[in-house]
Amino acid sequence: MVNRERADRVQRDAVGAVERRPEPVAALTETNLREAFACFPSGVIAVCGMDGGGPVGMAVSSFTSVSLAPPLVSVCLQTSSRTWPRLRALPRLGLSVLGEGQDAVCRALAGSGEDRFAGVRWEEGEQGAVFVHGAVTWFDCTLRAELPAGDHAIALLEVGRLWTVPAADPLVFHGSRFRRLDSGERSAVPA
């Protein structure tokens, strides 16, 4: 039976490519759940605003488009965050989709230091949203709702304005590392 299971996990598809089958995990733990979540690539977003005359911000990898009408996005934030309570109270938030090569910016905004913006180029938008230079997209947002979700909160944000550089590549986080997109057209498959 073990050999049958192994044979089932690795098969060839119709064109002869190896098709892998995930293996069951014996016990659901935070460690193997974190490893499973790391299998899904994501972009990295800087969530920033002006608080008391200076910028405050954090890096977030759980960002999702939600709705076109009205224009809504969401981010998930740890309930243990000391930064989110400061951001939540602000009238406007700037979301910056970090660009390829902004690994150091991500690390700075994800750090626990007092001045996360040291060495980070940024600008203040109208009503206190803060945007990171070098990002591929900026969203100027207002917090519309916040929902509890286990050890995280889901923040639902309404987009008021946006700026984008469509041809630029985003910073990609996958397998607990920063990666690059393959820019070769040979791998592009129309949706």
Side-chain angles (χ1 to χ4, degrees):
M1 184 160 171
V2 171
N3 290 336
R4 174 72 180 148
E5 285 180 16
R6 285 189 183 148
D8 286 346
R9 278 191 222 122
V10 178
Q11 299 175 348
R12 300 223 174 250
D13 66 12
V15 293
V18 173
E19 180 182 297
R20 292 177 180 82
R21 184 172 178 189
E23 295 186 29
V25 175
L28 189 60
T29 65
E30 283 188 23
T31 301
N32 58 34
L33 191 55
R34 188 181 315 273
E35 288 172 356
F37 289 163
C39 291
F40 185 75
S42 66
V44 182
I45 310 301
V47 181
C48 308
M50 288 300 284
D51 180 28
V56 61
M58 61 194 302
V60 175
S61 63
S62 54
F63 168 83
T64 305
S65 58
V66 175
S67 170
L68 296 175
L72 300 171
V73 297
S74 70
V75 293
C76 296
L77 310 127
Q78 290 183 332
T79 54
S80 61
S81 170
R82 294 186 323 260
T83 307
W84 176 239
R86 293 176 62 192
L87 289 167
R88 156 195 311 127
L90 301 176
R92 304 295 291 181
L93 296 173
L95 274 59
S96 301
V97 178
L98 297 183
E100 185 178 281
Q102 288 192 297
D103 314 26
V105 171
C106 178
R107 286 187 189 95
L109 293 173
S112 59
E114 276 300 308
D115 189 6
R116 292 181 181 179
F117 286 85
V120 175
R121 292 183 38 235
W122 58 275
E123 69 182 73
E124 181 179 358
E126 295 176 15
Q127 299 179 329
V130 170
F131 303 104
V132 175
H133 286 205
V136 299
T137 303
W138 291 347
F139 296 94
D140 186 318
C141 298
T142 303
L143 179 63
R144 288 295 172 224
E146 187 175 344
L147 308 163
D151 61 358
H152 279 65
I154 301 170
L156 188 62
L157 303 158
E158 185 168 348
V159 178
R161 294 181 65 195
L162 69 94
W163 299 258
T164 188
V165 183
D169 287 334
L171 182 63
V172 177
F173 193 67
H174 174 255
S176 300
R177 306 186 306 197
F178 296 114
R179 311 268 185 151
R180 294 180 185 273
L181 293 177
D182 177 4
S183 61
E185 291 299 318
R186 68 188 180 288
S187 65
V189 177

